[in-house]
Each structure stands twice: as structure tokens, then as C-alpha cells.
Amino acid sequence: MNIVCIGGGPAGLYFGLLMKLRHPAHEVTVVERNRPYDTFGWGVVFSDATMENMRQWDPVTAAEIQQAFNHWDDIELHFKGAVIRSGGHGFVGIGRKKLLNILQARCEALGVKLVFETDVQSDADFPDADLIIASDGIHSRIRSRYEAVFKPDIVVRPNRYIWLGTHKRYDAFTFLFEKTEHGWFAAHIYKFDENTSTFIVECPEAVWQAHRLDEVDPEASIAFCERLFARNLQGERLMSNARHLRGSAWLNFQRVRCAQWSHFNGRAHVVLMGDAVHTAHFAIGSGTKLAIEDAIELTRAFDALGHTREHIPAVLERYQAARSVEVLKLQNAAWNAMSWFEVCGQRYLDRFEPPQLMYSLLTRSQRISHENLRLRDRAWLEGYEAWFARRERPVLPMLTPYTLRGCTLKNRIVVSPMAQYRAADGVVGDWHLMHLGARAAGGAGLVMVEMTSPVPEGRITPGCPGLWNDAQQAAFARIVDFVHRHSSARIGLQLGHSGPKGSTRLGWEGTDEPLPNAQGDPAAPPNWPLVSASALAYGAQNQTPQALDREGMRALTAAFVRATERAAAAGFDWLELHCAHGYLLSAFLCPLTNRREDAYGGSLENRCRFPLEVFAAMRAVWPAERPMSVRISAHDWAPGGNTDDDAVLIAALFKAAGCDLIDVSSGQTTREARPVYGRMYQTPFADRIRNEVDIATMAVGAITEADHANSIIAAGRADLCAIARPHLADAAWTLHQAAALNSPDVDWPLPYRSGRDQLYRELARKNAATPA
């Protein structure tokens, strides 16, 4: 084949040499616009895993790189006068120029033709090529030429950064944070040769403008950064080699993602590679890793299917299918890491002490979890666990106590309120006693009763509980007394009204589906009339509710107050108001379901008015020493709905009304919602509300392991973790998760302790027999 690589960066050079190495008959040309052995930029970083991959594909190149690279295991944080170091992270740093020189020399040795100082305008310049690799960077002309085919999704991020270098040598991947009168600056630093380190300075756009860095030339920006980080630089200078840049030299990162990676131009197959097809933020240091592994994967596909022109379409299809998944994983991690630096000044830097900032920094991508940190650096993590617990010895973060008002939870694990559909006329019975009692004995700090209505018409289904009469109160008091007598857990009640989602079937008969009576089945339980913020049905098959008038609001507020008084009399330790998931109060908050034109509709403040009135009335009669939380949908996941920006304002309004904690869920407000699911997918909303509004939060949603909970709590992303479905599968989830991690800091019921001892012995033997 005749192969042309447009762009002489790591992607084009490495692919060229791999193809020539494996099939010398190929005619391979790499065309680069710069001069021979010239490049811009300072150092590049990739992981130990990428280095091992390179050893397998070309040991000669890998050996030369290994001789030239700087390897380090440590990450070091300088923050608020503290210096904290953690090891075991495994990075490789090498000068970009040195890396390209090695790849260029290897290409020449193998017979790859290198063409320099040629600025390619179009793939049409190579009419004889069979395969054209467009590795021409983030501003790829080839990608732009076929934009309709490649469908690039390019997002420009808000932070500004400048890529500098220094002759000060750092022996760890180092992060500096310095505060000015206008805000915070961060520096990302790593050594890439014996004499030079990369020094990237980053800050929010508003801070950059406030310092008028948009008005100065590169020399003035460098002088500013030298003054800003003078304490750390200790007299060393900062340098720039970005001669190609004009103006301020401060850039905005662009995240590139393409729907299609290849195109047949009528004569040759054109395929994007490296930054031309995808980018990963420097906060995770993986741009070079992506480029190298692109080259490896495309070569692998040719090896598997055949090194001929006829095989190219199948090869390119296989290449995109294999790489797109891996790239997406890394881009998501890079997005999380990038986002952390974009918001850390607003959320964490003023709020966190140095040890917690270090933990948050290390876990920012969500690829490194609590137990992964233990594998990397046990001593550092155990020191942090002791610091977090304020004890002399380490304690798992999820097992540390937590106090709100006069209520202390023994740990941070909450059994989510989960509908059981076993109440009769709103009265809970033996099933609820078993369900809640077993989970209270199972180690959780707080068990929550499912959403309970203050009026019969506010139930979701005929099997849902209520709290409007003495029988219901007495039944709840029985369960509360059981939990208090037979466990060290606390128990809470979630009060709510179903609104437009009421009068539906039991969960296993069809969630949110109307009762059969609505379809004319006379034997089915009777439907009841619904109310909502506006006369909008939850779905085409659901009843159309009546828009609640002012008199109806006053009546429901009074009902919530009476139910609150009954909850207090029943002895509940905690009370939560349900304002999420499309139920009545959520329907007022959401602009998609609130179309009112009175004082309770329109602006966000107006939409919050009725939920806040209900909350304030409840708080006034709920005992002052007992906490009250509010569950909200922090994102509607639907066009025109609330977003996390709105959730911040909603949380602030509830905080001002006396709310102690926001239970942060999302979605379910409309059938049009399209959530983006994933591990801990709602936790970023809890993180933002906690650290921007300065209110305690509870994280919920796809939190399934102790590792998840420990990471969330330790990083300060939430104060409590609510575990739902795992508690349905395992009533003793907390006890079993703590045992798996060999933690003694969990309270087993006395009758179960012989079982505990046997479980710990068995797990210890299993762990001893398992290789690290």
C-alpha cells in the first residue's frame, strides 16, 4: 500500500514506523509542516501501561524512549503552606522534541520517507495514496474539509491556560495552587528531562480577565506567572517556546470528538488519528497516550485482516469500533479531571483543608477509587483515613459518624426510601417491620421509610403508606420503637404527595402506569382524582390532574403539618420532604410541568414558592433538635427543564428556609427525560450543591460498593450516601462491605457476632490466598 501520514506528531510517526516494520513493502510517507527535528511544546506524559504496550509493538523504539524518559511514582500538592505527597501513580515524562526525534530516527532507519516544511492543504495533494492518515492535530484541515462526514463535536472549555517550561527540576508530578485578589491559579508541573520541567498555568476566564492578561504579550504573562509562583520557583525562570502563537499565548482547551473516523474520498481512504479525531485534557495527561494507542490499534486491525488495499474498509470499521469505546472511557475521565480544575476555585480551594484537597485531586477523574489508592500508597491513604476520622488510627470514611442538629448517625450509609407497596389503607405492617428492621440491624446509619402521603389522594399506589390517622401513626411508632430497641441505627420518614403520578399500579405491575380501573376494569381498585401544579398529565395514559388552587394549597400544607406532627410523635429521628421525581412538589419546581401564570409559576423563585411554604410550615412544628432534608431532582434530563444550575438556586432557597441537607437525585420529572446513566452518575450534582451552596448533601444513584461510598465521602462530594437496590439484595450491605475491607469499625447486633467472627476469618483466609 501507499500510505501518507499528514502531520508528523506521535500518531503519524508511530503509525508509519509500525506499518513499515510489519510490512516493509508498504510505501510510507510522513509529511510535516515544521523543519526536521523541530517541534513546539515542552514535555509529554503517558502511563506505564502505554509504555508496556509500546514494548510489545516495537521494542527498539520503546528501549530508546525508556533511556530518555523520566519516570516517577509520586504526586505532590503545594497548598495553603502544606506539602503533601502520595506515591504509586506511575507516569512517564519525556520531552516532546526528544520523543519526536526518536520516532523520526526510527522511521528513517526503517525506510519511512519523511517530508518536512510542507504545509499540506488537502488530502487531494496525494492522488496516488491508498491510505491517508490525517494526524494533523486539533485544528485538522482534513477534518474541516470533510466536516459533514466526520461530524466533529468540538466544545471549547472556559478555563485559560499557558504552556511554559522551567529549568527547575521536580521529582514528582507537582500541583501548585496560589490565590490572588481576583481568584485562584493552578500549576501542573512535571520534569521531562534532566534539566527541564513542563509548567502549565491555568485559571478561570474571569480571573484571567481581572488580571488583564488578555491585554498583554507572552513576555508579560510569563513575568506575571513568575511573580505568582515565585515562592516555589525559588529564583528559577519560566520560558515559552510557542513561537507560533501570537497575542497573549493563553489558550482555551478544546474537547474534540468525532462521530465518524474515516472517509473514502474517491481515490484514497482518509482516516483521522490523534488530536484530529479526539482530545483529552492535560489534567489527565493522555493526549500522547491516545495518539500512540490509535496507531497501535489501526496496525493491529491490518495485522488481523490483511495489509492490502482491499482490506482497508473492513480495517477502518474495526479500528473505529475498537478505539471509540476506549477513547470514550478516557475522554470521560479526562472530562472529570478537567472539570475539577475548572470548578476547584469556586468549590474546594477555600473550603477544603490540604489533606482533603489532595484526596479530591487524586480521585478527580473517578478512575482512581478509594481502594485503588490503598493499592498505590497504603501509608498515605491510612494517614488520610485517620485524619478524616479525627482519630489516631485509620477508619473507612463511610463508617465515620455524622451529626446534624441533635442527631448523630453512627456512619454515613443511608438505606434509601424504597417503595414496598405493602401498606393496607396507608397502614404499614409486618412487612415494613421486617424490611426496615432488618436493614437497621444490617449496619446502616439511617434507614428511611418510603414516600408517605399526608392525605389518601397523595399516595402513589393503593399499596403506599400514609400518615393521616391514628392507626397509621401507631403502626409507624411500632417500627420506630423496634429500630431504636434492636439496633443503633436512626430512622427517618420521607413525606410527599404523588401529584400527577398518583393512582397508579403497584411497582411490579407497571411503574407509573394507571390503575386498571382507568381502563374500565370494574374489579380493579378505584382511581382517585389527581392534582398538580398545572393540568398536565404525566403521560398520555395517565390521568390529567386538576391544577391546584390556592385553597387546595392551604389544605395540603395543613395536611403536611399534621403528618409532620404525627411523625414527631411516632418518634422518627429524621424527616425528609420529597420534592423530586415528578411528584406534586417537584411538579411545581419543574418548568416543564409548571405552566402557571400566577405567583406560583414562571420564574424559578415563583416555582419554588409552594414547596418552600410547605417546608417552612413543616419545619416550624418539627422538633428543632431533629434534622430535616429535602429530596430534589437536580437535573430534569429533558430540553427546557431544570439543570444543575437551577438546582444550586433551589438548594440555596431551601437552605435559607432552614433545610439541613439536600438529598440529590435527578430525572423522573417527565416521561421525556433521557438521563445519562453511569457509575455514581448523580454524585456530581451532590458535589456541586454541597460545595457551592455550603449545605450538607446526600448522594444517591448507582452507588453500589463501599469503594464508591468511601470515595464520595472522603473527597467531600457528599456527606451521606444513600444505597437503594443493593439494600434490597442484601439487608446487611454495610456489615458485609465493611467485612470485605476487614474493617472493625461497624456495629454488629449481639446475636450475630459469632457469624461476624466466622465471616471475618473466612475473608482473611481468602485474601491471604489471593495474589495482590
Side-chain angles (χ1 to χ4, degrees), residues 186-204:
H188 313 238
I189 312 166
Y190 54 90
K191 184 175 71 171
F192 62 83
D193 65 29
E194 287 304 312
N195 302 306
T196 325
S197 301
T198 296
F199 201 106
I200 308 169
V201 180
E202 179 180 11
C203 68

mmCIF file with all atom_site columns, all heavy atoms in Angstrom, residues 186-204:
data_model
loop_
_atom_site.group_PDB
_atom_site.id
_atom_site.type_symbol
_atom_site.label_atom_id
_atom_site.label_alt_id
_atom_site.label_comp_id
_atom_site.label_asym_id
_atom_site.label_entity_id
_atom_site.label_seq_id
_atom_site.pdbx_PDB_ins_code
_atom_site.Cartn_x
_atom_site.Cartn_y
_atom_site.Cartn_z
_atom_site.occupancy
_atom_site.B_iso_or_equiv
_atom_site.pdbx_formal_charge
_atom_site.auth_seq_id
_atom_site.auth_comp_id
_atom_site.auth_asym_id
_atom_site.auth_atom_id
_atom_site.pdbx_PDB_model_num
ATOM 1   N N   . ALA A 1 186 ? -3.792  27.633 39.191 1.00 0.00 ? 186 ALA A N   1
ATOM 2   C CA  . ALA A 1 186 ? -3.202  26.313 39.406 1.00 0.00 ? 186 ALA A CA  1
ATOM 3   C C   . ALA A 1 186 ? -2.025  26.133 38.462 1.00 0.00 ? 186 ALA A C   1
ATOM 4   O O   . ALA A 1 186 ? -2.008  26.673 37.351 1.00 0.00 ? 186 ALA A O   1
ATOM 5   C CB  . ALA A 1 186 ? -4.237  25.220 39.157 1.00 0.00 ? 186 ALA A CB  1
ATOM 6   N N   . ALA A 1 187 ? -1.043  25.362 38.891 1.00 0.00 ? 187 ALA A N   1
ATOM 7   C CA  . ALA A 1 187 ? 0.076   24.988 38.026 1.00 0.00 ? 187 ALA A CA  1
ATOM 8   C C   . ALA A 1 187 ? 0.219   23.470 38.026 1.00 0.00 ? 187 ALA A C   1
ATOM 9   O O   . ALA A 1 187 ? 0.165   22.832 39.075 1.00 0.00 ? 187 ALA A O   1
ATOM 10  C CB  . ALA A 1 187 ? 1.375   25.630 38.504 1.00 0.00 ? 187 ALA A CB  1
ATOM 11  N N   . HIS A 1 188 ? 0.352   22.898 36.817 1.00 0.00 ? 188 HIS A N   1
ATOM 12  C CA  . HIS A 1 188 ? 0.609   21.466 36.618 1.00 0.00 ? 188 HIS A CA  1
ATOM 13  C C   . HIS A 1 188 ? 2.060   21.345 36.184 1.00 0.00 ? 188 HIS A C   1
ATOM 14  O O   . HIS A 1 188 ? 2.444   21.902 35.139 1.00 0.00 ? 188 HIS A O   1
ATOM 15  C CB  . HIS A 1 188 ? -0.276  20.888 35.515 1.00 0.00 ? 188 HIS A CB  1
ATOM 16  C CG  . HIS A 1 188 ? -1.727  21.256 35.587 1.00 0.00 ? 188 HIS A CG  1
ATOM 17  N ND1 . HIS A 1 188 ? -2.731  20.303 35.664 1.00 0.00 ? 188 HIS A ND1 1
ATOM 18  C CD2 . HIS A 1 188 ? -2.374  22.449 35.572 1.00 0.00 ? 188 HIS A CD2 1
ATOM 19  C CE1 . HIS A 1 188 ? -3.903  20.898 35.685 1.00 0.00 ? 188 HIS A CE1 1
ATOM 20  N NE2 . HIS A 1 188 ? -3.713  22.204 35.629 1.00 0.00 ? 188 HIS A NE2 1
ATOM 21  N N   . ILE A 1 189 ? 2.882   20.610 36.918 1.00 0.00 ? 189 ILE A N   1
ATOM 22  C CA  . ILE A 1 189 ? 4.327   20.614 36.661 1.00 0.00 ? 189 ILE A CA  1
ATOM 23  C C   . ILE A 1 189 ? 4.865   19.187 36.652 1.00 0.00 ? 189 ILE A C   1
ATOM 24  O O   . ILE A 1 189 ? 4.515   18.381 37.520 1.00 0.00 ? 189 ILE A O   1
ATOM 25  C CB  . ILE A 1 189 ? 5.078   21.415 37.751 1.00 0.00 ? 189 ILE A CB  1
ATOM 26  C CG1 . ILE A 1 189 ? 4.405   22.765 38.003 1.00 0.00 ? 189 ILE A CG1 1
ATOM 27  C CG2 . ILE A 1 189 ? 6.538   21.607 37.363 1.00 0.00 ? 189 ILE A CG2 1
ATOM 28  C CD1 . ILE A 1 189 ? 4.881   23.450 39.260 1.00 0.00 ? 189 ILE A CD1 1
ATOM 29  N N   . TYR A 1 190 ? 5.720   18.878 35.673 1.00 0.00 ? 190 TYR A N   1
ATOM 30  C CA  . TYR A 1 190 ? 6.414   17.594 35.670 1.00 0.00 ? 190 TYR A CA  1
ATOM 31  C C   . TYR A 1 190 ? 7.726   17.729 34.901 1.00 0.00 ? 190 TYR A C   1
ATOM 32  O O   . TYR A 1 190 ? 7.813   18.430 33.901 1.00 0.00 ? 190 TYR A O   1
ATOM 33  C CB  . TYR A 1 190 ? 5.542   16.488 35.047 1.00 0.00 ? 190 TYR A CB  1
ATOM 34  C CG  . TYR A 1 190 ? 5.028   16.799 33.665 1.00 0.00 ? 190 TYR A CG  1
ATOM 35  C CD1 . TYR A 1 190 ? 5.748   16.441 32.529 1.00 0.00 ? 190 TYR A CD1 1
ATOM 36  C CD2 . TYR A 1 190 ? 3.800   17.457 33.488 1.00 0.00 ? 190 TYR A CD2 1
ATOM 37  C CE1 . TYR A 1 190 ? 5.277   16.724 31.256 1.00 0.00 ? 190 TYR A CE1 1
ATOM 38  C CE2 . TYR A 1 190 ? 3.317   17.751 32.223 1.00 0.00 ? 190 TYR A CE2 1
ATOM 39  C CZ  . TYR A 1 190 ? 4.062   17.382 31.115 1.00 0.00 ? 190 TYR A CZ  1
ATOM 40  O OH  . TYR A 1 190 ? 3.587   17.674 29.859 1.00 0.00 ? 190 TYR A OH  1
ATOM 41  N N   . LYS A 1 191 ? 8.738   17.035 35.414 1.00 0.00 ? 191 LYS A N   1
ATOM 42  C CA  . LYS A 1 191 ? 10.050  17.044 34.770 1.00 0.00 ? 191 LYS A CA  1
ATOM 43  C C   . LYS A 1 191 ? 10.030  16.098 33.571 1.00 0.00 ? 191 LYS A C   1
ATOM 44  O O   . LYS A 1 191 ? 9.462   15.005 33.638 1.00 0.00 ? 191 LYS A O   1
ATOM 45  C CB  . LYS A 1 191 ? 11.116  16.587 35.761 1.00 0.00 ? 191 LYS A CB  1
ATOM 46  C CG  . LYS A 1 191 ? 12.537  16.647 35.222 1.00 0.00 ? 191 LYS A CG  1
ATOM 47  C CD  . LYS A 1 191 ? 13.559  16.302 36.293 1.00 0.00 ? 191 LYS A CD  1
ATOM 48  C CE  . LYS A 1 191 ? 13.534  14.839 36.647 1.00 0.00 ? 191 LYS A CE  1
ATOM 49  N NZ  . LYS A 1 191 ? 14.657  14.445 37.514 1.00 0.00 ? 191 LYS A NZ  1
ATOM 50  N N   . PHE A 1 192 ? 10.638  16.524 32.447 1.00 0.00 ? 192 PHE A N   1
ATOM 51  C CA  . PHE A 1 192 ? 10.674  15.639 31.291 1.00 0.00 ? 192 PHE A CA  1
ATOM 52  C C   . PHE A 1 192 ? 12.086  15.359 30.771 1.00 0.00 ? 192 PHE A C   1
ATOM 53  O O   . PHE A 1 192 ? 12.262  14.508 29.913 1.00 0.00 ? 192 PHE A O   1
ATOM 54  C CB  . PHE A 1 192 ? 9.790   16.166 30.158 1.00 0.00 ? 192 PHE A CB  1
ATOM 55  C CG  . PHE A 1 192 ? 10.200  17.495 29.602 1.00 0.00 ? 192 PHE A CG  1
ATOM 56  C CD1 . PHE A 1 192 ? 11.192  17.588 28.635 1.00 0.00 ? 192 PHE A CD1 1
ATOM 57  C CD2 . PHE A 1 192 ? 9.571   18.663 30.022 1.00 0.00 ? 192 PHE A CD2 1
ATOM 58  C CE1 . PHE A 1 192 ? 11.558  18.819 28.112 1.00 0.00 ? 192 PHE A CE1 1
ATOM 59  C CE2 . PHE A 1 192 ? 9.934   19.894 29.501 1.00 0.00 ? 192 PHE A CE2 1
ATOM 60  C CZ  . PHE A 1 192 ? 10.938  19.978 28.542 1.00 0.00 ? 192 PHE A CZ  1
ATOM 61  N N   . ASP A 1 193 ? 13.067  16.074 31.276 1.00 0.00 ? 193 ASP A N   1
ATOM 62  C CA  . ASP A 1 193 ? 14.451  15.676 31.022 1.00 0.00 ? 193 ASP A CA  1
ATOM 63  C C   . ASP A 1 193 ? 15.283  16.116 32.217 1.00 0.00 ? 193 ASP A C   1
ATOM 64  O O   . ASP A 1 193 ? 14.744  16.609 33.207 1.00 0.00 ? 193 ASP A O   1
ATOM 65  C CB  . ASP A 1 193 ? 14.986  16.222 29.689 1.00 0.00 ? 193 ASP A CB  1
ATOM 66  C CG  . ASP A 1 193 ? 15.091  17.744 29.641 1.00 0.00 ? 193 ASP A CG  1
ATOM 67  O OD1 . ASP A 1 193 ? 15.286  18.379 30.704 1.00 0.00 ? 193 ASP A OD1 1
ATOM 68  O OD2 . ASP A 1 193 ? 14.983  18.305 28.531 1.00 0.00 ? 193 ASP A OD2 1
ATOM 69  N N   . GLU A 1 194 ? 16.585  15.929 32.130 1.00 0.00 ? 194 GLU A N   1
ATOM 70  C CA  . GLU A 1 194 ? 17.414  16.191 33.301 1.00 0.00 ? 194 GLU A CA  1
ATOM 71  C C   . GLU A 1 194 ? 17.458  17.659 33.693 1.00 0.00 ? 194 GLU A C   1
ATOM 72  O O   . GLU A 1 194 ? 17.820  17.993 34.819 1.00 0.00 ? 194 GLU A O   1
ATOM 73  C CB  . GLU A 1 194 ? 18.841  15.683 33.037 1.00 0.00 ? 194 GLU A CB  1
ATOM 74  C CG  . GLU A 1 194 ? 18.956  14.174 33.059 1.00 0.00 ? 194 GLU A CG  1
ATOM 75  C CD  . GLU A 1 194 ? 18.443  13.587 34.365 1.00 0.00 ? 194 GLU A CD  1
ATOM 76  O OE1 . GLU A 1 194 ? 18.828  14.091 35.445 1.00 0.00 ? 194 GLU A OE1 1
ATOM 77  O OE2 . GLU A 1 194 ? 17.647  12.632 34.319 1.00 0.00 ? 194 GLU A OE2 1
ATOM 78  N N   . ASN A 1 195 ? 17.077  18.533 32.777 1.00 0.00 ? 195 ASN A N   1
ATOM 79  C CA  . ASN A 1 195 ? 17.241  19.962 33.041 1.00 0.00 ? 195 ASN A CA  1
ATOM 80  C C   . ASN A 1 195 ? 15.962  20.774 32.951 1.00 0.00 ? 195 ASN A C   1
ATOM 81  O O   . ASN A 1 195 ? 15.980  21.966 33.256 1.00 0.00 ? 195 ASN A O   1
ATOM 82  C CB  . ASN A 1 195 ? 18.255  20.554 32.048 1.00 0.00 ? 195 ASN A CB  1
ATOM 83  C CG  . ASN A 1 195 ? 19.600  19.872 32.136 1.00 0.00 ? 195 ASN A CG  1
ATOM 84  O OD1 . ASN A 1 195 ? 20.178  19.797 33.208 1.00 0.00 ? 195 ASN A OD1 1
ATOM 85  N ND2 . ASN A 1 195 ? 20.098  19.361 31.016 1.00 0.00 ? 195 ASN A ND2 1
ATOM 86  N N   . THR A 1 196 ? 14.851  20.178 32.531 1.00 0.00 ? 196 THR A N   1
ATOM 87  C CA  . THR A 1 196 ? 13.676  20.976 32.206 1.00 0.00 ? 196 THR A CA  1
ATOM 88  C C   . THR A 1 196 ? 12.397  20.322 32.696 1.00 0.00 ? 196 THR A C   1
ATOM 89  O O   . THR A 1 196 ? 12.252  19.101 32.664 1.00 0.00 ? 196 THR A O   1
ATOM 90  C CB  . THR A 1 196 ? 13.566  21.194 30.680 1.00 0.00 ? 196 THR A CB  1
ATOM 91  O OG1 . THR A 1 196 ? 14.861  21.314 30.111 1.00 0.00 ? 196 THR A OG1 1
ATOM 92  C CG2 . THR A 1 196 ? 12.736  22.425 30.370 1.00 0.00 ? 196 THR A CG2 1
ATOM 93  N N   . SER A 1 197 ? 11.458  21.175 33.109 1.00 0.00 ? 197 SER A N   1
ATOM 94  C CA  . SER A 1 197 ? 10.136  20.716 33.524 1.00 0.00 ? 197 SER A CA  1
ATOM 95  C C   . SER A 1 197 ? 9.069   21.494 32.769 1.00 0.00 ? 197 SER A C   1
ATOM 96  O O   . SER A 1 197 ? 9.236   22.686 32.481 1.00 0.00 ? 197 SER A O   1
ATOM 97  C CB  . SER A 1 197 ? 9.928   20.930 35.028 1.00 0.00 ? 197 SER A CB  1
ATOM 98  O OG  . SER A 1 197 ? 10.897  20.232 35.789 1.00 0.00 ? 197 SER A OG  1
ATOM 99  N N   . THR A 1 198 ? 7.982   20.807 32.447 1.00 0.00 ? 198 THR A N   1
ATOM 100 C CA  . THR A 1 198 ? 6.793   21.485 31.921 1.00 0.00 ? 198 THR A CA  1
ATOM 101 C C   . THR A 1 198 ? 6.106   22.214 33.063 1.00 0.00 ? 198 THR A C   1
ATOM 102 O O   . THR A 1 198 ? 6.031   21.709 34.185 1.00 0.00 ? 198 THR A O   1
ATOM 103 C CB  . THR A 1 198 ? 5.828   20.458 31.306 1.00 0.00 ? 198 THR A CB  1
ATOM 104 O OG1 . THR A 1 198 ? 6.464   19.850 30.184 1.00 0.00 ? 198 THR A OG1 1
ATOM 105 C CG2 . THR A 1 198 ? 4.535   21.121 30.866 1.00 0.00 ? 198 THR A CG2 1
ATOM 106 N N   . PHE A 1 199 ? 5.593   23.404 32.792 1.00 0.00 ? 199 PHE A N   1
ATOM 107 C CA  . PHE A 1 199 ? 4.964   24.235 33.816 1.00 0.00 ? 199 PHE A CA  1
ATOM 108 C C   . PHE A 1 199 ? 3.719   24.865 33.188 1.00 0.00 ? 199 PHE A C   1
ATOM 109 O O   . PHE A 1 199 ? 3.802   25.895 32.521 1.00 0.00 ? 199 PHE A O   1
ATOM 110 C CB  . PHE A 1 199 ? 5.954   25.309 34.282 1.00 0.00 ? 199 PHE A CB  1
ATOM 111 C CG  . PHE A 1 199 ? 5.664   25.915 35.629 1.00 0.00 ? 199 PHE A CG  1
ATOM 112 C CD1 . PHE A 1 199 ? 6.424   25.584 36.741 1.00 0.00 ? 199 PHE A CD1 1
ATOM 113 C CD2 . PHE A 1 199 ? 4.619   26.818 35.792 1.00 0.00 ? 199 PHE A CD2 1
ATOM 114 C CE1 . PHE A 1 199 ? 6.174   26.153 37.981 1.00 0.00 ? 199 PHE A CE1 1
ATOM 115 C CE2 . PHE A 1 199 ? 4.363   27.400 37.018 1.00 0.00 ? 199 PHE A CE2 1
ATOM 116 C CZ  . PHE A 1 199 ? 5.138   27.064 38.129 1.00 0.00 ? 199 PHE A CZ  1
ATOM 117 N N   . ILE A 1 200 ? 2.559   24.219 33.355 1.00 0.00 ? 200 ILE A N   1
ATOM 118 C CA  . ILE A 1 200 ? 1.304   24.717 32.783 1.00 0.00 ? 200 ILE A CA  1
ATOM 119 C C   . ILE A 1 200 ? 0.567   25.515 33.845 1.00 0.00 ? 200 ILE A C   1
ATOM 120 O O   . ILE A 1 200 ? 0.330   25.014 34.949 1.00 0.00 ? 200 ILE A O   1
ATOM 121 C CB  . ILE A 1 200 ? 0.413   23.560 32.306 1.00 0.00 ? 200 ILE A CB  1
ATOM 122 C CG1 . ILE A 1 200 ? 1.179   22.620 31.375 1.00 0.00 ? 200 ILE A CG1 1
ATOM 123 C CG2 . ILE A 1 200 ? -0.839  24.096 31.620 1.00 0.00 ? 200 ILE A CG2 1
ATOM 124 C CD1 . ILE A 1 200 ? 0.455   21.322 31.089 1.00 0.00 ? 200 ILE A CD1 1
ATOM 125 N N   . VAL A 1 201 ? 0.178   26.726 33.523 1.00 0.00 ? 201 VAL A N   1
ATOM 126 C CA  . VAL A 1 201 ? -0.571  27.580 34.456 1.00 0.00 ? 201 VAL A CA  1
ATOM 127 C C   . VAL A 1 201 ? -2.002  27.705 33.944 1.00 0.00 ? 201 VAL A C   1
ATOM 128 O O   . VAL A 1 201 ? -2.225  27.952 32.750 1.00 0.00 ? 201 VAL A O   1
ATOM 129 C CB  . VAL A 1 201 ? 0.079   28.973 34.585 1.00 0.00 ? 201 VAL A CB  1
ATOM 130 C CG1 . VAL A 1 201 ? -0.710  29.840 35.553 1.00 0.00 ? 201 VAL A CG1 1
ATOM 131 C CG2 . VAL A 1 201 ? 1.531   28.831 35.057 1.00 0.00 ? 201 VAL A CG2 1
ATOM 132 N N   . GLU A 1 202 ? -2.956  27.549 34.843 1.00 0.00 ? 202 GLU A N   1
ATOM 133 C CA  . GLU A 1 202 ? -4.373  27.516 34.465 1.00 0.00 ? 202 GLU A CA  1
ATOM 134 C C   . GLU A 1 202 ? -5.182  28.376 35.427 1.00 0.00 ? 202 GLU A C   1
ATOM 135 O O   . GLU A 1 202 ? -4.887  28.436 36.623 1.00 0.00 ? 202 GLU A O   1
ATOM 136 C CB  . GLU A 1 202 ? -4.884  26.071 34.504 1.00 0.00 ? 202 GLU A CB  1
ATOM 137 C CG  . GLU A 1 202 ? -6.348  25.912 34.146 1.00 0.00 ? 202 GLU A CG  1
ATOM 138 C CD  . GLU A 1 202 ? -6.808  24.464 34.201 1.00 0.00 ? 202 GLU A CD  1
ATOM 139 O OE1 . GLU A 1 202 ? -6.065  23.603 34.719 1.00 0.00 ? 202 GLU A OE1 1
ATOM 140 O OE2 . GLU A 1 202 ? -7.929  24.190 33.729 1.00 0.00 ? 202 GLU A OE2 1
ATOM 141 N N   . CYS A 1 203 ? -6.242  29.015 34.911 1.00 0.00 ? 203 CYS A N   1
ATOM 142 C CA  . CYS A 1 203 ? -7.139  29.801 35.769 1.00 0.00 ? 203 CYS A CA  1
ATOM 143 C C   . CYS A 1 203 ? -8.471  30.003 35.054 1.00 0.00 ? 203 CYS A C   1
ATOM 144 O O   . CYS A 1 203 ? -8.560  29.868 33.829 1.00 0.00 ? 203 CYS A O   1
ATOM 145 C CB  . CYS A 1 203 ? -6.524  31.156 36.117 1.00 0.00 ? 203 CYS A CB  1
ATOM 146 S SG  . CYS A 1 203 ? -6.373  32.280 34.704 1.00 0.00 ? 203 CYS A SG  1
ATOM 147 N N   . PRO A 1 204 ? -9.525  30.334 35.792 1.00 0.00 ? 204 PRO A N   1
ATOM 148 C CA  . PRO A 1 204 ? -10.801 30.638 35.145 1.00 0.00 ? 204 PRO A CA  1
ATOM 149 C C   . PRO A 1 204 ? -10.720 31.901 34.301 1.00 0.00 ? 204 PRO A C   1
ATOM 150 O O   . PRO A 1 204 ? -9.889  32.788 34.543 1.00 0.00 ? 204 PRO A O   1
ATOM 151 C CB  . PRO A 1 204 ? -11.761 30.840 36.338 1.00 0.00 ? 204 PRO A CB  1
ATOM 152 C CG  . PRO A 1 204 ? -11.115 30.127 37.475 1.00 0.00 ? 204 PRO A CG  1
ATOM 153 C CD  . PRO A 1 204 ? -9.640  30.283 37.258 1.00 0.00 ? 204 PRO A CD  1
#
